[in-house]
Amino acid sequence: MEQIPFFIFAAIAVLSAIGVISVKNAVHGAFYLMITLLQVAAIFILLRSPFLAAVQVFIYVGAVMVLFLFAVMVLDIGKEELRETFNQQGVIAIPAVLVMLALIGYMIIGGKVLAPAGNLTDDVLIGNSTEVLGKELYTKYLFPFEVVSILLLIALVGAIVLVMKDRKR
Amino acid sequence: MPSALNALNLNFSTIWPEIILTAVAIIILVLDFFVKKENKSILGYLSVLGLLAVIPVAAMTVDPAPSFGGMVRADGFSAFFNVIFLISAVFTVLISMDYMEKMNIQRGEYYYLTLFATLGMMVMASANDFVNLYVGLETMAISFYVLVAIRVDNRKSVEGALKYFVLGALSSGILLYGIAFAYGFSGTTSLTGIASIGSRLSSQSPFLLLALALIIVGFGFKIAAFPFHSWSPDAYEGAPVPVAGFLSVGSKAAAFAVFVRVFVAAFPAFHGHWVDLLWILSAATMVYGSVVAISQKNIVRMLAYSSIAHAGVMLMGLLVYNDIGSAGILYYLLVYTFMNLGAFAVITMFIRKDGRGSDLSDYRGLAAARPLWAFFLALFLLSLAGIPPTGGFTAKFFILAAAINARYYWLAAIGVLSTVIALFFYAKVIFYMYMNERADAEDLPVMGATYSVVLILTAIGTVITGVYPAPFMDIALKVIKPFFM
């Protein structure tokens, strides 16, 4: 039974993803992207990961989309500027993508799925996944977690370096 | 729950080098606010001091037991690579200070971003888990994106940085896709965990094969192997010359560190599969890099293609899949650090603000005007070409010998052939310097003290590894041995 909502969400996600790349208006594209991301959040809930769903909504639907819309607004991208700027790359790209899709599909459908389930303890399944995730982050993944803080610092500094004009010139 | 804590093994002594380096970088970040624009080189000297202080710590941090919940494995292998990263960072910063002044890019960010890039490399080298590996890779990559673009008012710099950024982000995505498949297959991101699950299976899982292919593509971008190389010549040309040198040495060494560790530690059961893929990549990379380098007019672009060809040779060491081949990669990277950064030091010194010195034709008659520079550049180029008695020869020799021992005759033949082709464009520069007359008696820059230090040290490194390679190769063999037990 659970598969029915999954297929609904998945279908809407794929359709609106196609919408993102096919509409000419950048704002419409951004809204389609928002729909896609919301469907993914719904799928996360079906997979019993309320935390990931919340993060998806907060960060992607909330923060990232606002940035997108801001950029569209500030740069004032009209319809005309989003014309086709591809140099016949489609001739190569489309077959390449199709071959890749066919290969991956063949492997998923035809291959024997021998993947063992992850660490799905009762705690995770009942809905405590946020707590489990937090504990994992601060125990097992402590070191990469700390390095990520440096990574964010670098990104912050980098953004400033790239946009700040030299004053003494 | 002390037992669970003990199982995590939060052993801070295994990450001392990373901690100290981060501290140094953050101190420089703070000092940057107080240092006047004209005196930014002070930060450079401080960075060099900090890096020099970390080298002995990094060399002594050897603890093969996995720490931090299996994330970190600070074994001899990572210590060896950490020393390579730190040495290359020291050389890079030393040649940067005069360059930044010359090009009028007086920015303190440059120095601590270089340190953070080194930090990312060190995290990669000791990563025993895909999560840690990826975080380290991004730390390095994002620092490099900014470093390449630091001449924001230069068109070429922005173009190269944009290409590097877009393709780098794409390759990270492909790598993550591969890691996701590996995780989906095995239920763990730990390299040792994946290895133990892979060896238990009787049949090969197509999922893991797909993961392997995607991971090879992701790493192929980072080492600039043939079909994934297109970013590197533009990024090298646009970047400040010292950054191009650091990118070709440090970034490549870090990518090879994870390449070796992932394929030897996590996918040994699949050797039969990845070896064919790497065979093609290696052969194509060697031939393509050497052939395309011939037609280059710009010396930095030429070295970019030469660096692509070198990556192909090193891939050969990986695919023979024994301790001698892998130790050959380590040794090769050590030698490459000296000879390539030496060559980049001469170019950095010679290049002028208006761009003179970047074309091959600018090197005409350099031997008459500046015999010492021409001598150094010739030494490094001969070493890059693999002429005895330099380190470049012994490095190529070890890897080719390992390939022949493992019966990869065709690949070794292609390797020798590409070396012969490569000799042509290296020799061309030497020919320009020694056989041609200088057209104009222009004002050549003088050789600063920092350049002399770098040139002398890199020249010593290049020659010693050439005439007395045994101790270095012994260390490389010793640190790689546990991988093949």
Side-chain angles (χ1 to χ4, degrees), chain B residues 128-276:
Chain B
N128 192 36
D129 190 293
F130 273 123
V131 174
N132 209 10
L133 185 158
Y134 182 72
V135 170
L137 187 108
E138 283 301 296
T139 309
M140 176 189 85
I142 290 186
S143 313
F144 269 125
Y145 299 148
V146 182
L147 285 174
V148 170
I150 207 151
R151 295 191 292 165
V152 275
D153 46 0
N154 182 306
R155 244 186 103 239
K156 275 217 170 118
S157 178
V158 173
E159 183 199 336
L162 206 61
K163 275 186 186 160
Y164 181 37
F165 174 65
V166 171
L167 287 177
L170 180 72
S171 73
S172 292
I174 293 173
L175 177 66
L176 271 185
Y177 203 32
I179 293 173
F181 273 112
Y183 175 69
F185 153 80
S186 58
T188 174
T189 50
S190 158
L191 299 187
T192 35
I194 291 172
S196 69
I197 285 168
S199 62
R200 251 187 279 145
L201 289 175
S202 49
S203 65
Q204 313 267 319
S205 155
F207 273 94
L208 209 50
L209 292 183
L210 185 61
L212 261 178
L214 292 169
I215 290 172
I216 287 181
V217 173
F219 288 161
F221 265 105
K222 292 290 169 214
I223 61 167
F226 163 53
F228 322 115
H229 66 280
S230 55
W231 58 272
S232 82
D234 291 317
Y236 286 20
E237 192 187 358
V241 181
V243 171
F246 195 34
L247 200 57
S248 68
V249 172
S251 168
K252 189 160 294 198
F256 265 106
V258 291
F259 220 139
V260 172
R261 202 190 277 271
V262 166
F263 281 84
V264 176
F267 298 115
F270 295 84
H271 174 244
H273 290 273
W274 53 260
V275 73
D276 295 333

Side-chain angles (χ1 to χ4, degrees), chain B residues 46-47 50 102-103 131 144 146 184 193 237 268 274 309 322 327 350 365 385 398 400:
Chain B
L46 282 175
S47 311
K102 192 159 67 180
M103 296 289 165
V131 174
F144 269 125
V146 182
E237 192 187 358
W274 53 260
N322 56 28
F350 187 54
F398 281 132
L400 286 172

Side-chain angles (χ1 to χ4, degrees), chain A residues 101-164:
Chain A
L101 271 182
L103 270 179
I104 292 177
Y106 168 76
M107 283 187 156
I108 291 173
I109 295 163
K112 291 179 210 120
V113 183
L114 295 167
N119 237 346
L120 288 176
T121 52
D122 285 346
D123 243 10
V124 180
L125 286 173
I126 290 167
N128 255 345
S129 62
T130 312
E131 195 186 324
V132 175
L133 205 68
K135 273 186 185 155
E136 286 279 293
L137 267 187
Y138 280 99
T139 52
K140 191 177 175 214
Y141 295 96
L142 180 66
F143 182 64
F145 187 74
E146 296 292 342
V147 179
V148 165
S149 64
I150 302 287
L151 179 59
L152 290 178
L153 176 70
I154 299 168
L156 205 70
V157 171
I160 295 171
V161 170
L162 293 186
V163 295
M164 200 174 65

Side-chain angles (χ1 to χ4, degrees), chain B residues 162-431:
Chain B
L162 206 61
K163 275 186 186 160
Y164 181 37
F165 174 65
V166 171
L167 287 177
L170 180 72
S171 73
S172 292
I174 293 173
L175 177 66
L176 271 185
Y177 203 32
I179 293 173
F181 273 112
Y183 175 69
F185 153 80
S186 58
T188 174
T189 50
S190 158
L191 299 187
T192 35
I194 291 172
S196 69
I197 285 168
S199 62
R200 251 187 279 145
L201 289 175
S202 49
S203 65
Q204 313 267 319
S205 155
F207 273 94
L208 209 50
L209 292 183
L210 185 61
L212 261 178
L214 292 169
I215 290 172
I216 287 181
V217 173
F219 288 161
F221 265 105
K222 292 290 169 214
I223 61 167
F226 163 53
F228 322 115
H229 66 280
S230 55
W231 58 272
S232 82
D234 291 317
Y236 286 20
E237 192 187 358
V241 181
V243 171
F246 195 34
L247 200 57
S248 68
V249 172
S251 168
K252 189 160 294 198
F256 265 106
V258 291
F259 220 139
V260 172
R261 202 190 277 271
V262 166
F263 281 84
V264 176
F267 298 115
F270 295 84
H271 174 244
H273 290 273
W274 53 260
V275 73
D276 295 333
L277 205 51
L278 287 187
W279 198 105
I280 300 169
L281 273 188
S282 165
T285 307
M286 287 188 290
V287 173
Y288 179 86
S290 314
V291 170
V292 178
I294 292 176
S295 61
Q296 297 306 314
K297 300 266 182 290
N298 182 304
I299 191 158
V300 176
R301 283 186 84 87
M302 190 201 88
L303 283 178
Y305 282 104
S306 115
S307 146
I308 292 171
H310 283 284
V313 179
M314 287 184 244
L315 273 180
M316 204 188 327
L318 179 59
L319 68 89
V320 300
Y321 191 63
N322 56 28
D323 48 353
I324 301 171
S326 301
I329 298 180
L330 267 61
Y331 180 76
Y332 203 119
L333 283 166
L334 180 71
V335 177
Y336 191 66
T337 303
F338 290 120
M339 58 191 185
N340 207 38
L341 279 176
F344 270 101
V346 179
I347 298 168
T348 309
M349 185 162 63
F350 187 54
I351 220 158
R352 254 66 53 80
K353 188 171 169 28
D354 54 8
R356 273 180 304 148
S358 55
D359 277 350
L360 286 182
S361 51
D362 294 335
Y363 288 80
R364 281 178 204 281
L366 185 66
R370 287 280 189 280
L372 201 57
W373 299 12
F375 166 75
F376 276 123
L377 189 56
L379 172 73
F380 298 130
L381 289 176
L382 286 176
S383 180
L384 284 166
I387 305 292
T390 56
F393 168 74
T394 46
K396 276 214 174 78
F397 176 81
F398 281 132
I399 286 191
L400 286 172
I404 289 167
N405 270 336
R407 295 167 180 281
Y408 288 101
Y409 299 123
W410 276 107
L411 193 61
I414 295 173
V416 172
L417 186 74
S418 80
T419 306
V420 174
I421 301 172
L423 184 59
F424 176 74
F425 60 81
Y426 292 124
K428 191 165 79 177
V429 181
I430 299 172
F431 178 81

